[in-house]
Amino acid sequence: MATNFWSLTCTWFQNNSNLLPRPHYPSMPKYPAGISLPENRLPTNESTAFFSVTGMTCSACAGSVEKAIKRLPGIREAVVDVLNAKARVQFYPSFINLDRICEAINDVGFEASIVNDDMIERCRIHIIGMTCTSCSKTLESTIQAIRGVQNAQVALATEEAEVCFDPRILNYNQLLQAIEESGFEALLISTEEDVSKIQLQVDGVRSENSMRVIGSSLEALPGVLGINIDPALSKLSLSYKPNVTGPRNIIQVIESTGSGRFKATIFPEEQGREAYKKEEIKQYYRSFLWSLIFTIPVFLSSMVFTYIPGIKDVLDAKIVNMMTVGELLRWVLSSPVQFIIGRRFYTGSYKALRHGSANMDVLIGLGTNAAYFYSVYMVLRSATSSDFKATDFFETSSMLISFILLGKYLEVLAKGKTSEAIVKLMKLVPETATLLTFDNDGNVIRKEEIDSRLIQKNDVIKVIPGAKVASDGVVVWGQSHVNESMITGEAKPVAKRTDDTVIGGTLNENGVLHVRATHVGSESALSQIVRLVESAQMAKAPVQKIADRISKFFVPMVIVLSLTTWLVWFLTGKYGGYPKSWIPSSMDSCELALQFGISVMVIACPCALGLATPTAVMVATGVGASKGVLIKGGQALESAHKVNCIVFDKTGTLTVGKPVVVNTKLLKNMVLKEFYELVAATEVNSEHPLAKAIVEYAKKFKEEDNNQTWPEALDFISITGHGVKAIVQNKEVVAGNKSLMLDQNIFIPLEAEEILKEIEEMAQTGILVSIDRKLTGVLAISDALKPSARDVISILEAMKVKSIMVTGDNWGTAKSIANEVGIDDIIAVAKPDMKAEEVKRLQSLGHTVAMVGDGINDSPALVAADVGMAIGAGTDIAIEAADIVLMKSNLEDVITAIDLSRKTFSRIRLNYIWALGYNLLSIPIAAGVLFPSTQFRLPPWIAGAAMAASSVSVVCSSLQLKYYKRPKKLDTLEIQGIRVV
């Protein structure tokens, strides 16, 4: 087993393929009174269930159901949807079962039934065609209403939807079809099956029958679960069990079919989201260039050539009655811009209006159509009149569309940069790897360079100095130093030798390593991190609700304001409400009113509001991941910036977490080897760090023995927060703290009391051992304090964050440790439920509480806290229960997480101030409030340019978070050498 902290983190990522960030809710889990939770059986595996609830008629009914569920013990969160008669419940199965939840709902007067079990599946879909928050909210409601969908989240910034559905009712294709019928294009990104999926391109196929033959051959291959054939592309999509088969075996079967005529390769990667993103940028760029080709002549003929003699005469030449060459030319040139290049705005408007909502496309469509068709009317009127002189606005519609396309091009370009951190992570894995083949004696008989995507489990890969590790695995030969900074942010290379774990994408520095692949493809630690960050970017921060609420009425309100503006200026002009000198010479009062109305319509920008939060959260979660701080969503990010009180666990958090036995005092005549054999046989069944320290120390007494196993322990019991008890070699062994001895009615002599006092004064932990109900020995265990602990507590104090230590250790040791680090408030001898209760007590006093821990016994407190932070070298359950994972196990990253969240929400506030301020200031100016006093007005094309610029500015503002620097005080600690490795 590797001794460095990252190997533990790596093991966690590798063994938890189902890790997905969960949203954090303010409600706390309720633990039944009096329950004692042994460490090795702590029920923190969270489950989600969906219920059909009939009989609800209003929000009050939904509130009653929600309260009834939340009153139950072991409930993590409950959300009731009255419109779809559904309830989603997150709960802890060891505390409560599904039948009890159903009973609680039935007890308040409604009928409940379970609509899911383990059959619920999750998929991620890329959505094409969303333009603002109104689109995302409308689509989210549409997906939620689809029969079989249990939960759906749509994110505007990532242009993705995450959908949980019942595969017995709905499949992926039906889901995609339903989304497309609602007016958006849908592209399946991933499913829960992606861990064991591969897509292959087959060359040499001459007919569909050939593909069917290949499919039949593959179906016979053990481990292949499913095959999807696309004859048009000669493409195979397969799902398989990675423990049974792998991509090279699949390719071998294909190439051996048909007498070697077929050749299979990995299907080209340039597809899916990234390909679409690139294509979308190209499309906007092309559209903008084409619009310029037509718009520039329209602009010149309208604004410039009319002042140049000669050209002016040509443009003013009459064709039919009063219709001129210039008017006809502008009509002809602006029409392709309006109907071909601007077609996307018509389709976007139609899709939105079809579902009873209005978005930015509706505003653009109304504004440009008003200008275009008014101009058409004017031109046609001049063509049928001998004395009517027309004034057209063709330049307004074409320039408006051109500037908006430029803005959208810049916006998608900037939005692409918000996820650069994920793209960089995905590109860390090398393209090729050197595969080694061995003979029966373990000698290398063949070296082969293969595509890294073809690596299978248990392959042995050679990694030379300067090369990247191609797959997660275990070192089977060689030693070197590996730079893991690209994954963990830890700059110092980590020593690797036989049996140490390595991570795919890290850089081997100075030695040759042979690595046996353990987790490949989507199962790798890197893929898990990418998936975690992607899911975190999907989760909405509560502050996003501001934009969601505004989006419901924003566009209708702007349309009303636009029409009101036009009407006020039109009536005022018609009835002489202002001097005729205000009217420009090239238009009349009706045209002036129309320009004000169009300007109001196109200057309003709902997009800026919708992008203010998600773009900042996207950048921040990516930046956090690059610095070794994994933030599980916008909720965690928002809660972290409010934290004013942090509860620290002691062992493994404030201390290094590697306790060692430093002294042993025997109170009875007994051979030390026999004593430790009994104690170790008992403690080996516990996962507690102190138990592991005792077992490790006891091993030195068995170094010369042929038998390295410990005697069997019968009737083993772990008493959480106290110790362990078992029968070994017909002797009752009890090992634990003073409280355990008193509870077991075991007498503690004065000598033992004095030894315990001395141990605790030295900030060590004393373990009492009783054999056959007689106190036999006292062990002194020391766990070194992390070098940075005191400075971190000091910096937190300067940030006005209160620090509290909660530990299951004795009061004496706890006080000594607290004095060393500078913590005044401590709680000792705390059971897991007591830690959670302390968190709740602090919350009741008005504190926003963060809990930092690493053990199984910290999990209830991590869940109960507003923000749970798990040390990366901690247990799987603790990390899964947390909202933020500190991958480097450094306490300094607690400060980084809080500081990053504070800077992120400062940026979000700035984004909202700009987005709201822009609309509040620009709409009145566009409406002409300054015109009476200054004669200043905004032409519609300038208003459109301003609208496009506002969205781009919000995205660029969020991108500033890419240059985040952690507090300088932490850099000072690093320079001084205070670093935990």
Side-chain angles (χ1 to χ4, degrees):
M1 177 66 70
T3 57
N4 61 78
F5 67 86
W6 173 250
S7 65
L8 295 169
T9 309
C10 178
T11 302
W12 172 70
F13 273 110
Q14 291 168 344
N15 292 334
N16 288 270
S17 62
N18 62 341
L19 171 67
L20 285 173
R22 56 170 177 76
H24 187 75
Y25 300 88
S27 63
M28 309 303 163
K30 303 168 182 64
Y31 300 95
I35 280 187
S36 178
L37 304 174
E39 282 183 288
N40 58 339
R41 292 184 292 136
L42 187 68
T44 54
N45 291 327
E46 184 181 304
S47 293
T48 301
F50 295 88
F51 299 84
S52 173
V53 183
T54 57
M56 296 189 297
T57 58
C58 63
S59 58
C61 298
S64 300
V65 173
E66 194 167 303
K67 287 178 183 177
I69 298 171
K70 287 182 176 179
R71 277 197 295 263
L72 298 171
I75 297 298
R76 173 70 180 84
E77 174 61 8
V79 179
V80 179
D81 181 358
V82 68
L83 294 177
N84 296 300
K86 291 187 292 191
R88 175 169 58 88
V89 182
Q90 292 172 278
F91 67 102
Y92 297 93
S94 298
F95 281 137
I96 193 167
N97 58 36
L98 297 175
D99 292 336
R100 179 71 189 91
I101 299 173
C102 278
E103 287 175 14
I105 298 173
N106 294 335
D107 288 344
V108 292
F110 303 94
E111 292 183 20
S113 60
I114 304 166
V115 295
N116 81 308
D117 43 28
D118 294 331
M119 293 294 292
I120 293 298
E121 291 186 10
R122 177 186 281 107
C123 68
R124 293 168 67 85
I125 301 168
H126 180 59
I127 306 295
I128 303 169
M130 293 191 298
T131 57
C132 63
T133 313
S134 179
C135 297
S136 61
K137 289 297 292 180
T138 301
L139 181 59
E140 189 169 279
S141 301
T142 302
I143 297 173
Q144 286 276 23
I146 298 172
R147 183 172 176 270
V149 170
Q150 306 297 342
N151 188 40
Q153 273 190 317
V154 179
L156 174 64
T158 58
E159 296 179 333
E160 290 178 12
E162 186 173 87
V163 185
C164 296
F165 64 96
D166 189 338
R168 295 168 296 185
I169 302 173
L170 190 69
N171 61 36
Y172 302 122
N173 292 330
Q174 290 171 329
L175 186 59
L176 295 175
Q177 184 180 349
I179 293 172
E180 289 179 353
E181 286 176 358
S182 69
F184 300 93
E185 294 181 53
L187 180 70
L188 185 65
I189 299 172
S190 65
T191 69
E192 290 181 338
E193 299 173 350
D194 280 352
V195 170
S196 317
K197 215 169 188 183
I198 189 171
Q199 294 181 329
L200 298 173
Q201 175 85 51
V202 184
D203 296 326
V205 176
R206 296 171 185 169
S207 65
E208 290 188 19
N209 186 54
S210 298
M211 291 296 286
R212 283 195 290 272
V213 170
I214 293 172
S216 300
S217 300
L218 290 172
E219 284 174 353
L221 181 66
V224 173
L225 301 175
I227 303 172
N228 185 27
I229 300 174
D230 186 347
L233 297 176
S234 298
K235 173 184 170 184
L236 289 171
S237 299
L238 299 96
S239 56
Y240 61 93
K241 292 181 180 179
N243 290 325
V244 180
T245 189
R248 290 204 313 283
N249 295 342
I250 294 169
I251 289 175
Q252 187 177 359
V253 169
I254 294 172
E255 294 183 348
S256 63
T257 304
S259 305
R261 178 161 53 92
F262 305 122
K263 180 74 175 175
T265 55
I266 298 286
F267 196 79
E269 254 185 24
E270 192 65 16
Q271 57 181 318
R273 285 178 299 170
E274 295 307 315
Y276 171 76
K277 279 289 181 189
K278 291 180 180 178
E279 184 58 32
E280 184 184 30
I281 291 170
K282 288 180 182 177
Q283 280 183 4
Y284 274 116
Y285 182 68
R286 284 196 298 264
S287 296
F288 172 64
L289 289 182
W290 274 108
S291 70
L292 278 185
I293 291 172
F294 292 98
T295 300
I296 289 174
V298 173
F299 172 77
L300 292 175
S301 68
S302 176
M303 301 289 187
V304 179
F305 292 159
T306 53
Y307 299 100
I308 302 175
I311 299 179
K312 181 180 183 302
D313 296 335
V314 173
L315 293 175
D316 288 342
K318 305 292 190 296
I319 301 176
V320 179
N321 288 328
M322 296 296 291
M323 186 176 74
T324 65
V325 172
E327 291 167 353
L328 182 61
L329 180 66
R330 288 191 288 273
W331 186 6
V332 170
L333 291 174
S334 64
S335 294
V337 178
Q338 184 71 32
F339 299 110
I340 300 175
I341 299 170
R343 183 178 57 185
R344 67 178 69 242
F345 303 117
Y346 286 99
T347 56
S349 300
Y350 169 73
K351 291 172 184 177
L353 294 173
R354 181 178 157 196
H355 292 92
S357 65
N359 60 9
M360 187 193 73
D361 289 335
V362 173
L363 295 179
I364 296 169
L366 286 173
T368 56
N369 277 296
Y372 178 84
F373 285 108
Y374 176 78
S375 300
V376 170
Y377 163 73
M378 296 298 284
V379 171
L380 291 176
R381 185 177 173 186
S382 67
T384 57
S385 172
S386 58
D387 58 357
F388 178 78
K389 184 171 176 23
T391 302
D392 63 83
F393 296 133
F394 287 120
E395 81 284 351
T396 295
S397 64
S398 56
M399 289 176 70
L400 191 54
I401 289 172
S402 296
F403 275 111
I404 289 168
L405 288 173
L406 173 61
K408 292 298 291 182
Y409 166 69
L410 295 174
E411 184 183 320
V412 295
L413 206 61
K415 279 166 67 177
K417 295 182 183 296
T418 60
S419 56
E420 275 187 352
I422 291 179
V423 175
K424 287 178 181 177
L425 282 171
M426 295 173 72
K427 290 181 178 178
L428 286 176
V429 178
E431 293 183 359
T432 60
T434 303
L435 176 67
L436 300 179
T437 306
F438 297 85
D439 60 17
N440 294 331
D441 297 325
N443 300 312
V444 178
I445 57 174
R446 185 183 177 192
K447 296 179 183 179
E448 179 186 1
E449 190 171 285
I450 63 169
D451 189 313
S452 62
R453 292 170 294 177
L454 297 179
I455 295 174
Q456 298 180 179
K457 281 191 175 181
N458 297 318
D459 282 346
V460 177
I461 305 299
K462 180 180 180 180
V463 187
I464 62 174
K468 288 182 178 179
V469 179
S471 168
D472 292 2
V474 177
V475 177
V476 294
W477 180 86
Q479 58 182 12
S480 181
H481 284 80
V482 175
N483 185 346
E484 298 177 341
S485 61
M486 59 286 296
I487 304 290
T488 68
E490 179 60 66
K492 187 174 181 180
V494 180
K496 299 291 181 181
R497 53 184 66 85
T498 303
D499 291 335
D500 282 356
T501 56
V502 292
I503 311 153
T506 54
L507 183 67
N508 182 30
E509 293 208 334
N510 54 10
V512 177
L513 295 175
H514 290 180
V515 177
R516 178 172 55 82
T518 55
H519 294 81
V520 297
S522 299
E523 293 181 317
S524 68
L526 188 60
S527 294
Q528 296 291 340
I529 294 171
V530 169
R531 193 177 304 166
L532 188 152
V533 176
E534 285 180 334
S535 295
Q537 292 176 347
M538 283 291 299
K540 292 181 181 178
V543 71
Q544 175 68 20
K545 292 177 182 177
I546 298 172
D548 291 346
R549 283 195 291 266
I550 293 174
S551 69
K552 292 179 182 178
F553 57 83
F554 185 87
V555 174
M557 182 187 71
V558 170
I559 294 172
V560 171
L561 284 174
S562 176
L563 292 173
T564 303
T565 300
W566 173 80
L567 188 62
V568 169
W569 278 101
F570 175 72
L571 293 176
T572 306
K574 185 174 182 179
Y575 295 104
Y578 57 81
K580 289 189 176 181
S581 60
W582 286 9
I583 303 173
S585 58
S586 59
M587 61 181 74
D588 58 24
S589 61
C590 179
E591 294 165 351
L592 179 65
L594 184 62
Q595 286 231 343
F596 281 126
I598 294 173
S599 293
V600 169
M601 196 170 290
V602 299
I603 203 168
C605 185
C607 295
L609 282 169
L611 294 170
T613 297
T615 51
V617 170
M618 282 181 69
V619 178
T621 50
V623 168
S626 68
K627 295 186 179 297
V629 178
L630 294 182
I631 303 169
K632 300 182 182 179
Q635 170 73 53
L637 199 62
E638 179 165 350
S639 297
H641 97 280
K642 301 175 185 174
V643 166
N644 54 19
C645 180
I646 298 184
V647 177
F648 288 95
D649 175 49
K650 178 181 74 70
T651 305
T653 303
L654 292 173
T655 62
V656 175
K658 295 178 182 177
V660 291
V661 177
V662 293
N663 201 0
T664 307
K665 297 280 188 179
L666 293 180
L667 305 177
K668 303 291 182 184
N669 288 328
M670 189 176 187
V671 177
L672 195 60
K673 179 180 179 181
E674 294 176 2
F675 171 79
Y676 267 105
E677 183 161 287
L678 294 174
V679 177
T682 305
E683 295 283 13
V684 76
N685 297 289
S686 173
E687 290 295 319
H688 197 284
L690 297 182
K692 292 179 179 178
I694 293 171
V695 173
E696 194 63 34
Y697 183 78
K699 285 180 181 178
K700 72 177 187 179
F701 296 105
K702 295 181 71 70
E703 288 177 353
E704 297 178 1
D705 291 359
N706 292 326
N707 183 11
Q708 297 292 320
T709 61
W710 302 108
E712 183 181 3
L714 304 175
D715 301 327
F716 173 80
I717 299 174
S718 174
I719 302 97
T720 303
H722 290 293
V724 294
K725 179 181 177 182
I727 304 297
V728 181
Q729 295 177 348
N730 295 320
K731 295 179 180 179
E732 183 189 65
V733 180
V734 180
N737 57 21
K738 184 177 177 180
S739 298
L740 179 60
M741 299 300 154
L742 296 176
D743 289 344
Q744 297 291 321
N745 295 317
I746 296 170
F747 175 70
I748 302 175
L750 182 60
E751 182 184 0
E753 295 270 15
E754 291 175 350
I755 293 171
L756 269 180
K757 187 177 179 181
E758 290 176 8
I759 290 171
E760 291 171 3
E761 286 175 352
M762 292 186 289
Q764 297 171 354
T765 301
I767 300 294
L768 301 176
V769 178
S770 162
I771 299 175
D772 286 336
R773 307 194 65 76
K774 299 289 184 184
L775 200 65
T776 308
V778 183
L779 311 183
I781 299 178
S782 176
D783 187 5
L785 198 66
K786 287 184 177 178
S788 61
R790 185 174 184 84
D791 294 276
V792 167
I793 299 301
S794 176
I795 293 171
L796 286 171
E797 188 177 350
M799 295 170 69
K800 301 188 185 307
V801 178
K802 181 180 181 181
S803 298
I804 297 172
M805 185 178 80
V806 180
T807 177
D809 214 335
N810 61 76
W811 277 99
T813 304
K815 286 178 180 177
S816 298
I817 293 289
N819 288 335
E820 283 191 54
V821 298
I823 293 178
D824 297 324
D825 297 328
I826 57 172
I827 294 174
V829 199
K831 295 180 181 179
D833 54 344
M834 288 175 63
K835 292 182 180 182
E837 287 302 321
E838 175 60 17
V839 168
K840 293 176 184 178
R841 184 188 70 81
L842 292 166
Q843 289 170 331
S844 68
L845 296 175
H847 293 293
T848 301
V849 183
M851 170 71 194
V852 185
D854 72 322
I856 295 175
N857 58 349
D858 297 322
S859 300
L862 287 168
V863 173
D866 296 289
V867 182
M869 297 188 190
I871 296 294
T875 61
D876 301 351
I877 291 175
I879 292 173
E880 195 165 340
D883 302 291
I884 297 175
V885 180
L886 311 178
M887 294 171 64
K888 290 182 285 183
S889 299
N890 289 347
L891 277 178
E892 299 99 294
D893 286 341
V894 172
I895 297 170
T896 301
I898 294 174
D899 185 64
L900 176 60
S901 67
R902 288 182 177 181
K903 285 186 168 58
T904 300
F905 273 82
S906 293
R907 183 61 57 178
I908 288 173
R909 278 192 289 268
L910 182 64
N911 287 349
Y912 272 123
I913 289 170
W914 165 250
L916 288 169
Y918 163 81
N919 284 292
L920 290 173
L921 288 174
S922 62
I923 291 175
I925 292 172
V929 295
L930 299 179
F931 189 69
S933 58
T934 64
Q935 301 296 293
F936 175 79
R937 64 184 178 89
L938 278 177
W941 62 273
I942 294 180
M947 183 273 287
S950 68
S951 295
V952 177
S953 64
V954 165
V955 177
C956 290
S957 171
S958 296
L959 284 173
Q960 297 303 305
L961 288 168
K962 286 176 61 179
Y963 308 106
Y964 167 78
K965 301 289 184 186
R966 63 182 193 163
K968 291 182 180 179
K969 292 179 181 178
L970 296 184
D971 295 326
T972 304
L973 291 185
E974 189 171 348
I975 291 169
Q976 293 172 347
I978 301 175
R979 167 68 65 179
V980 180
V981 179

